[in-house]
mmCIF file of all heavy atoms in Angstrom:
data_model
loop_
_atom_site.group_PDB
_atom_site.id
_atom_site.type_symbol
_atom_site.label_atom_id
_atom_site.label_comp_id
_atom_site.label_asym_id
_atom_site.label_seq_id
_atom_site.Cartn_x
_atom_site.Cartn_y
_atom_site.Cartn_z
ATOM 1 N N ALA X 315 24.125 -10.918 -21.280
ATOM 2 C CA ALA X 315 23.934 -9.720 -20.456
ATOM 3 C C ALA X 315 23.412 -8.564 -21.292
ATOM 4 O O ALA X 315 23.496 -8.567 -22.518
ATOM 5 C CB ALA X 315 25.203 -9.359 -19.773
ATOM 6 N N GLU X 316 22.827 -7.612 -20.620
ATOM 7 C CA GLU X 316 22.161 -6.484 -21.335
ATOM 8 C C GLU X 316 23.073 -5.724 -22.288
ATOM 9 O O GLU X 316 22.570 -5.215 -23.271
ATOM 10 C CB GLU X 316 21.647 -5.480 -20.284
ATOM 11 C CG GLU X 316 20.474 -6.050 -19.400
ATOM 12 C CD GLU X 316 20.933 -6.852 -18.230
ATOM 13 O OE1 GLU X 316 22.133 -7.143 -18.090
ATOM 14 O OE2 GLU X 316 20.076 -7.241 -17.364
ATOM 15 N N GLY X 317 24.371 -5.625 -21.981
ATOM 16 C CA GLY X 317 25.270 -4.921 -22.897
ATOM 17 C C GLY X 317 25.754 -5.735 -24.071
ATOM 18 O O GLY X 317 26.489 -5.185 -24.924
ATOM 19 N N ASP X 318 25.356 -6.961 -24.163
ATOM 20 C CA ASP X 318 25.773 -7.842 -25.250
ATOM 21 C C ASP X 318 25.102 -7.437 -26.557
ATOM 22 O O ASP X 318 24.064 -6.715 -26.497
ATOM 23 C CB ASP X 318 25.503 -9.311 -24.932
ATOM 24 C CG ASP X 318 26.458 -9.827 -23.840
ATOM 25 O OD1 ASP X 318 27.402 -9.129 -23.478
ATOM 26 O OD2 ASP X 318 26.264 -10.975 -23.412
ATOM 27 N N PRO X 319 25.673 -7.847 -27.697
ATOM 28 C CA PRO X 319 25.067 -7.388 -28.948
ATOM 29 C C PRO X 319 23.607 -7.821 -29.109
ATOM 30 O O PRO X 319 23.217 -8.924 -28.711
ATOM 31 C CB PRO X 319 25.897 -8.089 -30.028
ATOM 32 C CG PRO X 319 27.199 -8.418 -29.358
ATOM 33 C CD PRO X 319 26.860 -8.647 -27.908
ATOM 34 N N THR X 320 22.810 -6.873 -29.651
ATOM 35 C CA THR X 320 21.386 -7.183 -29.919
ATOM 36 C C THR X 320 21.218 -7.276 -31.411
ATOM 37 O O THR X 320 21.207 -6.239 -32.114
ATOM 38 C CB THR X 320 20.489 -6.112 -29.320
ATOM 39 O OG1 THR X 320 20.987 -4.829 -29.614
ATOM 40 C CG2 THR X 320 20.354 -6.220 -27.825
ATOM 41 N N VAL X 321 21.135 -8.490 -31.873
ATOM 42 C CA VAL X 321 20.976 -8.695 -33.365
ATOM 43 C C VAL X 321 19.851 -9.705 -33.512
ATOM 44 O O VAL X 321 20.086 -10.949 -33.640
ATOM 45 C CB VAL X 321 22.268 -9.272 -34.014
ATOM 46 C CG1 VAL X 321 22.146 -9.254 -35.483
ATOM 47 C CG2 VAL X 321 23.483 -8.481 -33.511
ATOM 48 N N PRO X 322 18.601 -9.252 -33.499
ATOM 49 C CA PRO X 322 17.461 -10.162 -33.607
ATOM 50 C C PRO X 322 17.527 -11.033 -34.844
ATOM 51 O O PRO X 322 18.097 -10.644 -35.880
ATOM 52 C CB PRO X 322 16.266 -9.212 -33.660
ATOM 53 C CG PRO X 322 16.727 -7.962 -33.008
ATOM 54 C CD PRO X 322 18.184 -7.829 -33.405
ATOM 55 N N ILE X 323 16.915 -12.205 -34.754
ATOM 56 C CA ILE X 323 16.909 -13.108 -35.866
ATOM 57 C C ILE X 323 15.499 -13.307 -36.423
ATOM 58 O O ILE X 323 15.271 -14.175 -37.244
ATOM 59 C CB ILE X 323 17.547 -14.502 -35.559
ATOM 60 C CG1 ILE X 323 16.958 -15.092 -34.329
ATOM 61 C CG2 ILE X 323 19.087 -14.354 -35.363
ATOM 62 C CD1 ILE X 323 17.350 -16.524 -33.981
ATOM 63 N N ASN X 324 14.570 -12.464 -35.946
ATOM 64 C CA ASN X 324 13.185 -12.518 -36.477
ATOM 65 C C ASN X 324 12.564 -11.142 -36.331
ATOM 66 O O ASN X 324 13.010 -10.310 -35.514
ATOM 67 C CB ASN X 324 12.375 -13.646 -35.808
ATOM 68 C CG ASN X 324 12.505 -13.575 -34.315
ATOM 69 O OD1 ASN X 324 12.149 -12.524 -33.687
ATOM 70 N ND2 ASN X 324 12.948 -14.618 -33.695
ATOM 71 N N PRO X 325 11.490 -10.890 -37.127
ATOM 72 C CA PRO X 325 10.828 -9.562 -37.074
ATOM 73 C C PRO X 325 10.251 -9.263 -35.624
ATOM 74 O O PRO X 325 10.205 -8.126 -35.250
ATOM 75 C CB PRO X 325 9.703 -9.677 -38.066
ATOM 76 C CG PRO X 325 10.244 -10.666 -39.059
ATOM 77 C CD PRO X 325 10.979 -11.683 -38.222
ATOM 78 N N TYR X 326 9.853 -10.309 -34.905
ATOM 79 C CA TYR X 326 9.344 -10.074 -33.528
ATOM 80 C C TYR X 326 10.437 -9.333 -32.706
ATOM 81 O O TYR X 326 10.176 -8.307 -32.089
ATOM 82 C CB TYR X 326 8.977 -11.382 -32.881
ATOM 83 C CG TYR X 326 8.633 -11.270 -31.403
ATOM 84 C CD1 TYR X 326 7.496 -10.549 -31.015
ATOM 85 C CD2 TYR X 326 9.474 -11.802 -30.473
ATOM 86 C CE1 TYR X 326 7.227 -10.428 -29.661
ATOM 87 C CE2 TYR X 326 9.240 -11.659 -29.113
ATOM 88 C CZ TYR X 326 8.103 -10.984 -28.705
ATOM 89 O OH TYR X 326 7.821 -10.802 -27.395
ATOM 90 N N GLY X 327 11.639 -9.933 -32.705
ATOM 91 C CA GLY X 327 12.752 -9.300 -31.957
ATOM 92 C C GLY X 327 13.053 -7.909 -32.440
ATOM 93 O O GLY X 327 13.242 -7.027 -31.673
ATOM 94 N N TRP X 328 13.042 -7.736 -33.740
ATOM 95 C CA TRP X 328 13.279 -6.360 -34.306
ATOM 96 C C TRP X 328 12.222 -5.401 -33.864
ATOM 97 O O TRP X 328 12.487 -4.250 -33.505
ATOM 98 C CB TRP X 328 13.399 -6.409 -35.813
ATOM 99 C CG TRP X 328 14.736 -6.844 -36.337
ATOM 100 C CD1 TRP X 328 14.995 -8.037 -36.983
ATOM 101 C CD2 TRP X 328 15.980 -6.198 -36.159
ATOM 102 N NE1 TRP X 328 16.348 -8.092 -37.249
ATOM 103 C CE2 TRP X 328 16.958 -6.982 -36.753
ATOM 104 C CE3 TRP X 328 16.349 -4.952 -35.621
ATOM 105 C CZ2 TRP X 328 18.325 -6.642 -36.786
ATOM 106 C CZ3 TRP X 328 17.703 -4.615 -35.610
ATOM 107 C CH2 TRP X 328 18.661 -5.408 -36.226
ATOM 108 N N SER X 329 10.940 -5.866 -33.893
ATOM 109 C CA SER X 329 9.848 -4.955 -33.603
ATOM 110 C C SER X 329 9.986 -4.453 -32.144
ATOM 111 O O SER X 329 9.652 -3.280 -31.817
ATOM 112 C CB SER X 329 8.478 -5.630 -33.760
ATOM 113 O OG SER X 329 8.231 -6.622 -32.793
#
Side-chain angles (χ1 to χ4, degrees):
E316 292 84 352
D318 289 352
T320 44
V321 190
I323 53 174
N324 50 57
Y326 171 68
W328 280 112
S329 73

